[in-house]
């Protein structure tokens, strides 16, 4: 991969029907993609995986846009209903498209759900789902798999091996099956064979919902983050029309 020089982050406030949202841009000098990443319901854009991607991808030609939902910008402690999150994300989309390159919608946890639910209607190029919450902890019967499977665009799920919201092995039980391994493996498909609905799964061994790994694990925290950044970079580098 070729590297590129990057500028420093820049913040942009965007008005939405749900209140003011904020985008923190980590620009590539000559971007070929924008990767828009929303945060989860329990934290903001300071999450370790979001920070790692914002640092690693701009030198590779991917502008990273870290999106803060209006509830977070307003200092509220509790996230609103999914419908309100989707409303804020939709209103942000024109700003994310402004650089004039394909936009990959993404996020962690609740942010991943938003990206999946809205990808098709917004024309997202693909979806990056970090720590997709397949179900509430201990409640596998409350599955949210339909949101993931119906994204309608190529989707990469990055999941911690010990994530209580859904372990990688559980993806094998989804309709149509979901492959385990690294980006570039044979993808599964959304139900009904939705065009472009392929998805792939990248496991971060020993990682929890925040991709934290135990000190006793045979890999370090930095190595766990390297799995994420290198895997996502490789997935984004696949030429259009070949995934």
């Amino acid at each position: 991969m070729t590297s590129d020089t990057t500028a420093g982050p820049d913040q942009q406030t965007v008005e939405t029907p749900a209140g003011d949202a904020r985008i923190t841009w980590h620009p590539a000098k000559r971007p070929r993609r924008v990767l828009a990443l929303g945060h989860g319901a329990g934290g903001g854009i300071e999450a370790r995986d979001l920070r790692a991607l914002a640092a690693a991808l701009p030198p590779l030609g991917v502008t990273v846009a870290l999106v803060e939902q209006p509830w977070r910008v307003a200092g509220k402690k509790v996230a609103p209903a999914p419908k309100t999150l989707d409303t804020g994300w939709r209103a942000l989309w024109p700003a994310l498209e402004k650089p004039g390159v394909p936009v990959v919608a993404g996020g962690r946890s609740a942010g991943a759900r938003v990206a999946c639910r809205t990808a098709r209607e917004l024309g997202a190029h693909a979806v990056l789902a970090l720590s997709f919450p397949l179900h509430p902890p201990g409640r596998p019967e409350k599955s949210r798999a339909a949101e993931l499977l119906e994204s309608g665009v190529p989707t990469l799920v990055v999941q911690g091996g010990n994530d209580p919201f859904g372990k990688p092995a559980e993806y094998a039980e989804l309709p149509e099956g979901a492959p385990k391994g690294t980006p570039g493996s044979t993808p599964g498909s959304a139900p009904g064979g939705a065009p472009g609905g392929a998805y792939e799964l990248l496991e971060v061994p020993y990682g929890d919902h925040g991709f934290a790994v135990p000190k006793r694990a045979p890999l370090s925290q930095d190595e766990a983050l390297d799995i994420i950044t290198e895997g996502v970079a490789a997935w984004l580098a696949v030429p259009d029309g070949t995934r």
Side-chain angles (χ1 to χ4, degrees):
M1 293 181 188
T2 58
S3 63
D4 203 351
T5 304
T6 60
D10 183 32
Q11 290 190 336
Q12 176 184 4
T13 299
V14 180
E15 293 183 5
T16 84
D20 286 350
R22 185 163 53 226
I23 303 172
T24 300
W25 293 94
H26 294 261
K29 186 176 180 181
R30 290 182 291 273
R32 53 184 175 79
R33 296 278 190 277
V34 168
L35 174 61
L37 295 173
H39 53 77
I45 60 172
E46 71 280 358
R48 59 171 59 84
D49 50 338
L50 302 185
R51 292 199 316 266
L53 289 167
L57 295 181
L60 302 177
V62 179
T63 288
V64 177
L66 300 182
V67 176
E68 293 174 87
Q69 284 271 0
W71 71 271
R72 185 79 181 180
V73 174
K76 296 179 181 179
K77 303 297 184 183
V78 179
K83 182 178 179 180
T84 302
L85 296 176
D86 292 355
T87 295
W89 186 259
R90 289 187 185 99
L92 282 159
W93 197 255
L96 297 170
E97 290 182 311
K98 197 166 184 180
V101 296
V103 181
V104 175
R108 70 162 357 271
S109 195
R113 295 181 64 193
V114 173
C116 287
R117 288 193 299 261
T118 60
R120 191 195 302 264
E121 66 175 282
L122 293 175
H125 189 71
V127 166
L128 173 62
L130 301 160
S131 294
F132 186 85
L134 198 58
H135 55 72
R139 301 291 301 277
E141 73 280 5
K142 300 289 186 181
S143 177
R144 297 155 177 158
E147 294 178 351
L148 171 66
L149 296 173
E150 296 171 8
S151 73
V153 298
T155 300
L156 175 65
V157 179
V158 183
Q159 205 78 2
N162 290 324
D163 191 337
F165 288 82
K167 293 181 173 60
E170 296 179 54
Y171 283 81
E173 302 171 7
L174 298 183
E176 299 290 330
K180 291 175 286 187
T182 59
S185 60
T186 303
S189 297
Y199 58 93
E200 302 168 54
L201 179 65
L202 173 63
E203 179 176 352
V204 180
Y206 309 100
D208 63 11
H209 194 58
F211 297 117
V213 297
K215 291 183 178 180
R216 64 180 182 278
L219 78 166
S220 69
Q221 187 64 65
D222 285 344
E223 289 171 330
L225 292 174
D226 286 344
I227 291 173
I228 299 171
T229 57
E230 292 172 9
V232 171
W235 179 72
L236 289 171
V238 174
D240 293 345
T242 63
R243 179 173 287 112

